[in-house]
């Protein structure tokens, strides 16, 4: 009987050691992961990276991506407005270029992130394995996927194209999207407090090696989102109280 208890105790101790090691290992990976801050949108109690771009301003689309009118036009469209950018041929010297609008190419992309002067990280999207899939100084790399192409047209003329990417594409779990769920208290604050458009909400994302990216924190300006929303709510409450008309003076 005692041997059985000893074996059970050793088994429990081994499990505790294993779990402790896994926790330590996960914390070590998280601590070593490069962290970037990206602009975010919030709705229905969740925040997610804002990775939708207008094709008319293709600053994020690298030299290894190309597209022509045939790639963009829908069945009911006959021509393209001049504001919609075309890039029918890859620049000379670029190898491995592809058309991201072809179904088989949508998952063959990478995002090469660089930090702007405002501290926000922005992507340069390239064809994976192309001559442009090279990290420049200070950049970090994530797998990417073209998720959707939203087209706006009028009278048979294509006038606007919005591209939506998953720039934190998980190759092991392709249906996963990077979403940061707000706790109930912060979700209520976001719903009730008028949140300013500037500065934008930011997500601090850790790019873990060998694991999917994880959001460490949601920020508004330099403050955690929950703290900033409480401050805004308090300021608005004080402002509302100050704007109330003063009561009439009572005369003796």
């Amino acid at each position: 009987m005692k041997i059985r208890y000893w074996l059970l105790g050793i088994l429990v101790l081994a499990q505790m050691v294993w779990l402790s090691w896994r926790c330590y290992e996960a914390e070590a990976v998280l601590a070593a992961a490069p962290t970037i801050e990206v602009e975010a949108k919030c709705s229905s109690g969740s925040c997610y990276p804002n990775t939708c771009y207008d094709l008319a301003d293709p600053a994020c689309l690298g030299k290894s991506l190309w597209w022509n009118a045939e790639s963009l036009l829908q069945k009911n469209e006959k021509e393209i407005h001049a504001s919609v950018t075309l890039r029918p041929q890859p620049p000379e010297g670029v190898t491995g270029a592809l058309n991201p609008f072809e179904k088989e190419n949508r998952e063959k992309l990478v995002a090469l992130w660089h930090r702007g002067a405002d501290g926000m990280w922005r992507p340069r999207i390239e064809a994976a394995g192309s001559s442009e899939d090279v990290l420049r100084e200070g950049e970090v790399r994530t797998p990417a996927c073209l998720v959707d192409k939203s087209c706006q047209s009028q009278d048979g003329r294509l006038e606007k194209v919005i591209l939506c990417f998953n720039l934190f594409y998980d190759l092991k779990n392709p249906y996963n999207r990077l979403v940061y769920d707000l706790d109930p208290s912060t979700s209520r604050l976001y719903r009730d407090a008028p949140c300013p458009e500037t500065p934008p909400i930011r997500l601090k994302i850790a790019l873990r090696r060998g694991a999917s990216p994880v959001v460490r924190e949601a920020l508004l300006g330099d403050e955690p989102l929950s703290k900033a929303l409480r401050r805004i709510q308090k300021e608005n409450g004080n402002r509302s109280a100050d704007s109330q008309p003063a009561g009439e003076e009572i005369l003796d």
Side-chain angles (χ1 to χ4, degrees):
M1 186 66 72
K2 289 184 179 180
I3 294 177
R4 182 183 301 175
Y5 287 139
W6 274 103
L7 291 175
L8 181 60
I10 292 172
L11 179 61
V12 170
L13 180 61
Q15 288 178 330
M16 291 177 64
V17 170
W18 180 80
L19 289 172
S20 298
W21 171 253
R22 290 300 301 269
C23 290
Y24 169 79
E25 189 178 39
E27 287 296 327
V29 169
L30 187 60
T35 301
I36 65 176
E37 294 181 10
V38 304
E39 186 175 343
K41 298 291 185 183
C42 292
S43 66
S44 303
S46 299
C47 292
Y48 49 90
N50 181 26
T51 54
C52 293
Y53 307 97
D54 191 332
L55 193 65
D57 182 22
C60 69
L61 302 177
K63 294 179 181 179
S64 61
L65 304 182
W66 65 272
W67 57 92
N68 51 26
E70 185 180 357
S71 305
L72 301 179
L73 289 173
Q74 309 294 306
K75 292 182 180 179
N76 60 333
E77 297 164 349
K78 298 180 181 179
E79 61 179 8
I80 293 179
H81 192 271
S83 64
V84 177
T85 306
L86 294 179
R87 196 189 287 176
Q89 295 294 332
E92 186 177 353
V94 175
T95 60
L98 56 78
N99 181 347
F101 301 119
E102 295 179 356
K103 187 176 181 180
E104 63 272 18
N105 291 336
R106 290 189 171 193
E107 300 178 11
K108 299 177 181 179
L109 306 174
V110 295
L112 307 172
W113 296 87
H114 59 276
R115 188 177 186 270
D118 59 355
M120 202 81 76
W121 289 71
R122 295 176 177 85
R124 171 170 58 92
I125 303 171
E126 300 282 3
S130 71
S131 56
E132 298 300 307
D133 181 11
V134 178
L135 289 174
R136 299 170 185 170
E137 185 178 359
E139 289 186 333
V140 294
R141 184 181 189 271
T142 60
C145 172
L146 176 62
V147 176
D148 191 26
K149 177 183 69 173
S150 176
C151 301
Q152 299 178 17
S153 60
Q154 186 174 1
D155 300 326
R157 182 175 65 175
L158 179 63
E159 297 190 338
K160 192 174 182 122
V161 179
I162 301 295
L163 305 178
C164 292
F165 293 90
N166 180 353
L167 300 182
F168 302 95
Y169 187 60
D170 190 341
L171 298 173
K172 297 178 181 178
N173 301 290
Y175 296 104
N176 284 2
R177 299 293 301 276
L178 188 62
V179 176
Y180 181 69
D181 294 323
L182 303 176
D183 62 78
S185 176
T186 305
S187 182
R188 285 194 299 271
L189 284 170
Y190 182 80
R191 184 186 64 227
D192 298 336
C195 189
E197 293 185 2
T198 53
I201 294 174
R202 294 175 290 145
L203 292 181
K204 185 180 288 187
I205 300 171
L207 305 178
R208 300 179 297 176
R209 176 175 294 182
S212 57
V214 62
V215 179
R216 303 193 70 166
E217 192 175 21
L219 303 168
L220 181 61
D222 295 324
E223 297 178 283
L225 179 59
S226 57
K227 181 179 178 181
L229 291 175
R230 285 195 297 270
R231 175 181 54 78
I232 292 170
Q233 186 183 57
K234 183 177 179 180
E235 289 173 353
N236 288 335
N238 292 339
R239 193 176 297 116
S240 298
D242 292 341
S243 64
Q244 292 294 326
E248 296 181 0
E249 183 177 358
I250 300 177
L251 301 177
D252 293 335

